[in-house]
Amino acid sequence: MTVANDGVPADEFETDLLRNLAHQRGTTRQSASAQDIYQALALTVRDRLVDRYVKTAATYYETNPRFVYYLSAEYMLGKQLPQNLLYSGLQNQARDALEKLGLDPAELEDLDVEPGLGNGGLGRLAACILDALATEDIPAVGYGIRYDLGIFKQTFEDGAQVERPDDWTFYGNPWEFAAPDDQQPVGFYGKVEDGKWTPDEIVLGEPSHMLVPGYGTQTVNLIRLWRARASRASFDLSRFGEGRYGEAVDAIVRSENISKVLYPDDSTELGRELRLKQQHFLVTCALRDIVRRYRLRNTGWDTFTEKVTVQLNDTHPVMAIAELMRVLLDEEGLDWDRAWLIVRGTFAYTCHTLLPEALETWPVALVERLLPRHMEIIYLINFHFLQEVEQAYPGDPGKLRELSIIQEEPERRVRMAHLAVVGAKAVNGVAELHSKLLRETTLRPFAELWPERFHNVTNGVSPRRFMLIANPRLTGLISSRLGDHDWLRDLDRLSDLERAVDDSAFRDQWREVKRANRRDLARYARAVTGVALDPDAMADVMIKRFHEYKRQLLRVMHVITLIHRIRRGETAGLVPRSVIFGGKAAPGYYAAKRIMRLANAVADVVNGDPQLSAYVRMAFLPNYNVSGAELIIPAADLSEQISLAGKEASGTSNMKLALNGALTIGTLDGANVEIRDRVGAGNFFLFGLDAGQAVALKQAGYRPRSWYEADWELRETIDFIATIDDGALREIADDLLNRDEYLTLADYRAYIECQDEVAHAWEDRDAWTRMSILNAARSGFFSADRTVRDYGREIWHTPAVPEV
Ligand code: GPQ
């Protein structure tokens, strides 16, 4: 009998699996479907985690610690099965048991569905932070919305993005526990009399939770997701009897629509009533749950801020500030000053953008109608706040206008970021440069008023998800060099790899790992796109949401430049590349979708012409998600981080890629700056304007056309865009020449020259491998474990609570 690290004998796992198949799925080994087996397997793993969770909960109950409550409208959790198998230490037993039963683990993993409850970086960051909180033994609960439909599934038709619904729980979700007996009422609309709100509509919030295990620790935390339910009486039996089936369920549909879809919108404001309803729904449910949990071990309000800290992930949950005020004033009977002190001691706010158009605002008229009492409270908060401003800047109406929570022109709107800064004890940006620019530009007047409130906490990523799970080959190689697996919880230990740089056998192994990962990626790319990538070509990847500021267009322009050079026979200095794209665009974001069509059209050109594909092949992998990232990142040699400086708050794929040994070609934007500082300027391909130069160029009156006129190769590239695809993409060229909001033309030449340097560096494969190893060895800082330790020290003041 073999006993693995969790102390579970292998045959016990098999027994438990078969028992779950019988007791939970009601079937037998002989008649079980693949889905039955998958679910029984998931439940068997889950059972072990539940045992740990019970102990964690008991420890928390005993010690009554301070909790971090993370409120986020988005979580991109990734597949749960591989993670939970690894974290529970059950991987070997599971494999043995499945083998004995004649089952293929890979096939079962295919049935595990990733919950795509987020759009991009912000949602994935939330998942990495929860992972790190559990790993660091910090008492925490994540709150979110259990959307019926996650981020849409992306396919391409004629090169254009097509969106399909993501019904992720179609076959049920074995990882979650529903708690329908713990529903919370959430009010909407109605009227306020004498400061008391009587809502017109009540929707029920129904929680379910999933387990969030830490790695290399016994701690298991929770993520609690809420879905909207109509009350029991909502079904209209008489209408149904009359055959009016649609009307019979009207009220149910209206209520339950609240958690129907994730808004597939990324960092631009979308003025939809339903979205505001979602936000209010989330924060009401979360706060009720937080107060309930607080009261398990505490009474009164005096110790609330000692025991509770709430992190607001961007502005989506910021209505929590008004909601907690409402609870304290209207339900708990506290006076204003005391309530405000509690609120101000509870919340902290993370801002994830610099783009003014991404700062959320809501029409006052809408908030007044949907949440009349909250609107009153926001006015009162603003009234008190503006008095403070008046004291700080006597007789300065400009200051009042600038800082007010209410924007007056052109329409009265509530500025959610202002409400957040006013109502929070701490505000942070997500990379050094971002936090600096927030203080100097976007939130400048607030930083002048309250400098001590502003912090930086540079983002991080989960080494478990993006090394252990995504890149077992590299993880194995690193562990064999470092002697154990512990670096996965202490990522700074990667620095010990520096010594391995001079070991040529190690460099060979490192290269072999990359090559094997590229082979896996090539197999996948072939299966989904038909494009045959060469596993020996440089894997040159750009994976992120499609957004103009991220400048996927600049990436495509380099490929077009290569097309022309190859056709002219200027192939000296070129190296074979696999140009890989992954990313979704918001369905209504026309300009981003146009760039996607261009990318696909250019891919057709290079892949279809042997003269070109000897040097460049291009694969746009559809439906980029966490699982896609796990496949692409380990194979990557070059990481494209080419946003216009001053626009990307942080970026996190940049960190995942460097950690996996990709070299970055990038601007001085977001966390690129810190990556370059750490890996060393000689191991990073820097190009382009910096943030200050970009602003200065715009202020000086940027004329893109003069760049076009001055550079014949740029001219050739843009003219190509104007004529490709029967000229349907001419708009892109027109826009570049007339507007070029993100200074693509201004950075074009620097980018092309930098790409030439990249090619030159790739020719010395051994020197490249050294740089690759150094990128990984020096990326320890970008662990999300460090991120939560920073939050813990600077903002939450939470000691860890390892299990007693
Ligand atoms: N981010 Cl405001 C999103 O993914 N969605 C959003 O709505 C906003 C920001 C990203 C941001 O663009 C990246 O630079 C960050 O790395 C990421 O959030 C996490 O902080």
Side-chain angles (χ1 to χ4, degrees):
M1 190 159 71
T2 55
V3 176
N5 47 354
D6 216 39
V8 183
D11 46 9
E12 204 173 290
F13 188 91
E14 185 191 338
T15 312
D16 290 351
L17 177 64
L18 292 172
R19 191 182 321 111
N20 275 328
L21 199 58
H23 292 180
Q24 302 299 326
R25 301 294 296 177
T27 188
T28 65
R29 170 68 191 97
Q30 289 68 36
S31 51
S33 65
Q35 185 63 226
D36 286 326
I37 308 257
Y38 156 71
Q39 299 253 348
L41 171 65
L43 293 172
T44 308
V45 176
R46 190 184 78 170
D47 288 346
R48 299 290 152 70
L49 292 178
V50 171
D51 294 341
R52 286 191 190 176
Y53 164 69
V54 168
K55 288 191 200 150
T56 303
T59 306
Y60 290 166
Y61 188 83
E62 235 161 77
T63 52
N64 186 19
R66 180 174 174 78
F67 270 82
V68 176
Y69 296 109
Y70 197 80
L71 264 60
S72 179
E74 303 190 16
Y75 291 92
M76 292 264 247
L77 296 169
K79 286 195 179 211
Q80 298 294 288
L81 179 62
Q83 170 182 306
N84 289 343
L85 271 172
L86 278 164
Y87 285 36
S88 58
L90 290 167
Q91 210 190 20
N92 294 339
Q93 289 102 297
R95 199 194 41 229
D96 294 349
L98 293 174
E99 208 166 274
K100 264 178 77 184
L101 295 168
L103 297 161
D104 178 3
E107 250 170 61
L108 296 174
E109 196 180 306
D110 283 345
L111 295 178
D112 195 50
V113 178
E114 80 163 77
L117 309 180
N119 276 294
L122 173 145
R124 180 57 226 176
L125 180 78
C128 283
I129 284 182
L130 293 192
D131 173 88
L133 282 164
T135 299
E136 292 287 313
D137 299 317
I138 299 176
V141 179
Y143 288 101
I145 299 177
R146 188 188 176 288
Y147 303 104
D148 291 348
L149 303 177
I151 181 75
F152 63 83
K153 290 197 165 157
Q154 177 197 53
T155 54
F156 295 111
E157 279 174 23
D158 296 329
Q161 171 175 289
V162 176
E163 301 101 22
R164 286 184 222 288
D166 167 41
D167 192 356
W168 65 289
T169 57
F170 192 75
Y171 291 110
N173 173 12
W175 301 108
E176 77 184 314
F177 298 87
D181 56 334
D182 193 14
Q183 289 166 344
Q184 305 294 341
V186 182
F188 296 98
Y189 309 105
K191 54 182 184 304
V192 179
E193 269 161 358
D194 300 329
K196 285 278 180 282
W197 177 31
T198 318
D200 250 7
E201 184 184 333
I202 302 280
V203 175
L204 300 172
E206 178 178 300
S208 61
H209 59 266
M210 292 206 269
L211 303 174
V212 182
Y215 178 78
T217 168
Q218 296 294 307
T219 298
V220 175
N221 285 334
L222 296 184
I223 175 170
R224 247 182 157 207
L225 302 175
W226 300 83
R227 68 182 188 133
R229 297 286 307 266
S231 63
R232 270 191 233 225
S234 307
F235 185 78
D236 194 329
L237 204 53
S238 59
R239 291 263 153 83
F240 193 83
E242 293 159 19
R244 294 151 78 181
Y245 305 125
E247 289 166 50
V249 294
D250 259 1
I252 299 183
V253 170
R254 193 163 4 101
S255 300
E256 301 192 348
N257 266 349
I258 290 181
S259 56
K260 188 56 82 187
V261 290
L262 166 81
Y263 275 93
D265 164 35
D266 188 71
S267 73
T268 47
E269 181 253 322
L270 189 76
R272 291 283 297 276
E273 179 168 334
L274 191 54
R275 188 165 176 145
L276 183 58
K277 276 185 144 179
Q278 286 187 335
Q279 298 184 353
H280 173 64
F281 173 77
L282 166 61
V283 304
T284 304
C285 292
L287 283 175
R288 288 211 179 271
D289 204 54
I290 289 166
V291 171
R292 177 190 64 80
R293 293 173 55 95
Y294 168 74
R295 287 189 168 142
L296 291 174
R297 299 288 279 124
N298 308 280
T299 46
W301 290 97
D302 289 348
T303 52
F304 190 74
T305 58
E306 266 167 49
K307 299 295 181 186
V308 171
T309 184
V310 177
Q311 191 67 38
L312 302 170
N313 196 27
D314 216 80
T315 50
H316 319 130
V318 163
M319 201 53 90
I321 290 170
E323 171 64 10
L324 184 58
M325 277 307 278
R326 189 193 66 77
V327 169
L328 294 176
L329 295 170
D330 301 355
E331 294 181 9
E332 299 295 320
L334 271 52
D335 64 41
W336 180 275
D337 290 345
R338 179 134 186 261
W340 184 241
L341 219 58
I342 292 170
V343 166
R344 279 280 332 277
T346 299
F347 294 104
Y349 159 58
T350 306
C351 177
H352 293 265
T353 190
L354 286 162
L355 309 179
E357 69 269 26
L359 291 178
E360 223 177 5
T361 62
W362 291 107
V364 166
L366 171 60
V367 181
E368 228 151 36
R369 190 160 52 79
L370 189 66
L371 303 169
R373 178 61 178 150
H374 297 74
M375 193 63 238
E376 274 185 11
I377 290 172
I378 292 169
Y379 277 136
L380 281 168
I381 293 173
N382 201 36
F383 171 78
H384 289 278
F385 165 56
L386 292 180
Q387 283 186 329
E388 207 178 319
V389 176
E390 177 59 35
Q391 267 172 17
Y393 305 98
D396 187 346
K399 271 286 169 212
L400 296 176
R401 212 175 311 117
E402 191 177 35
L403 283 155
S404 174
I405 296 170
I406 308 295
Q407 166 194 311
E408 299 290 337
E409 304 286 334
E411 162 192 47
R412 304 194 74 216
R413 298 180 77 99
V414 182
R415 297 157 155 167
M416 299 305 277
H418 290 212
L419 178 57
V421 180
V422 172
K425 59 183 166 182
V427 178
N428 75 284
V430 290
E432 289 281 356
L433 176 67
H434 175 235
S435 297
K436 174 174 166 293
L437 293 174
L438 273 183
R439 283 189 302 258
E440 290 174 358
T441 62
T442 316
L443 296 176
R444 178 182 189 138
F446 286 100
E448 283 170 357
L449 188 62
W450 297 315
E452 68 296 339
R453 206 173 287 193
F454 284 74
H455 301 258
N456 172 60
V457 182
T458 298
N459 282 167
V461 302
S462 164
R464 276 73 62 183
R465 178 63 68 174
F466 295 104
M467 284 295 266
L468 176 64
I469 297 173
N471 200 345
R473 291 190 183 101
L474 201 64
T475 301
L477 178 60
I478 294 173
S479 296
S480 72
R481 187 77 198 191
L482 301 185
D484 56 55
H485 262 68
D486 294 350
W487 57 276
L488 287 163
R489 311 190 36 158
D490 180 7
L491 207 61
D492 287 330
R493 278 195 53 210
L494 279 179
S495 62
D496 291 347
L497 281 182
E498 296 230 6
R499 273 178 270 144
V501 164
D502 292 322
D503 176 342
S504 70
F506 185 78
R507 292 199 301 275
D508 287 345
Q509 289 172 309
W510 190 273
R511 248 191 320 271
E512 220 11 78
V513 165
K514 271 285 172 210
R515 185 166 192 282
N517 291 341
R518 285 195 303 260
R519 236 185 351 250
D520 288 351
L521 178 60
R523 201 172 305 122
Y524 176 78
R526 170 122 217 185
V528 298
T529 66
V531 179
L533 300 177
D534 172 4
D536 287 314
M538 177 205 299
D540 172 345
V541 313
M542 184 154 186
I543 40 177
K544 49 188 81 249
R545 284 293 288 235
F546 265 67
H547 218 294
E548 288 165 284
Y549 81 80
K550 294 179 190 277
R551 299 199 297 193
Q552 278 93 355
L553 180 52
L554 184 58
R555 181 76 213 87
V556 177
M557 285 167 68
H558 172 239
V559 176
I560 296 172
T561 303
L562 292 180
I563 292 176
H564 288 115
R565 289 184 179 177
I566 298 165
R567 286 194 171 147
R568 276 197 299 274
E570 293 168 20
T571 54
L574 293 192
V575 297
R577 296 192 194 222
S578 306
V579 173
I580 292 151
F581 273 112
K584 297 175 183 179
Y589 191 173
Y590 181 73
K593 289 179 126 178
R594 204 163 59 185
I595 294 167
M596 271 180 177
R597 283 199 289 133
L598 175 67
N600 278 316
V602 170
D604 288 344
V605 172
V606 296
N607 298 330
D609 178 339
Q611 187 198 5
L612 298 174
S613 52
Y615 293 97
V616 203
R617 296 179 200 177
M618 210 168 146
F620 197 141
L621 301 175
N623 203 41
Y624 178 63
N625 57 9
V626 179
S627 306
E630 289 170 23
L631 192 71
I632 298 168
I633 290 168
D637 299 297
L638 187 66
S639 160
E640 301 274 350
Q641 306 299 339
I642 60 178
S643 51
L644 173 62
K647 299 292 177 188
E648 188 70 272
S650 163
T652 45
S653 80
N654 48 2
M655 302 171 183
K656 296 162 196 168
L657 285 156
L659 178 61
N660 279 270
L663 274 59
T664 305
I665 180 167
T667 50
L668 283 179
D669 202 14
N672 295 354
V673 178
E674 285 153 271
I675 292 177
R676 180 166 173 271
D677 283 348
R678 277 164 208 275
V679 306
N683 303 305
F684 184 108
F685 297 98
L686 176 71
F687 76 95
L689 301 166
D690 68 22
Q693 290 166 335
V695 170
L697 178 57
K698 284 221 152 163
Q699 275 170 356
Y702 176 55
R703 268 193 69 243
R705 203 175 284 273
S706 55
W707 261 263
Y708 171 83
E709 279 154 9
D711 185 333
W712 66 268
E713 210 173 16
L714 170 60
R715 219 153 49 230
E716 187 178 60
T717 300
I718 292 183
D719 293 350
F720 181 90
I721 297 174
T723 54
I724 195 176
D725 204 14
D726 302 327
L729 294 165
R730 166 175 289 279
E731 286 168 356
I732 298 178
D734 290 345
D735 187 75
L736 279 176
L737 289 176
N738 296 315
R739 201 169 66 105
D740 191 20
E741 176 77 21
Y742 299 101
L743 306 183
T744 317
L745 303 202
D747 269 346
Y748 168 82
R749 182 48 54 195
Y751 180 56
I752 299 296
E753 281 172 4
C754 195
Q755 285 286 17
D756 293 344
E757 265 175 60
V758 168
H760 184 64
W762 178 254
E763 278 176 329
D764 184 348
R765 208 58 56 80
D766 206 39
W768 183 283
T769 306
R770 282 172 183 273
M771 295 195 282
S772 167
I773 296 170
L774 287 177
N775 265 268
R778 297 173 178 174
S779 287
F781 177 78
F782 300 104
S783 168
D785 302 343
R786 189 270 314 149
T787 304
V788 304
R789 286 195 298 269
D790 286 357
Y791 276 106
R793 197 183 51 251
E794 295 243 337
I795 294 172
W796 301 331
H797 312 295
T798 39
V801 182
E803 211 161 279
V804 287

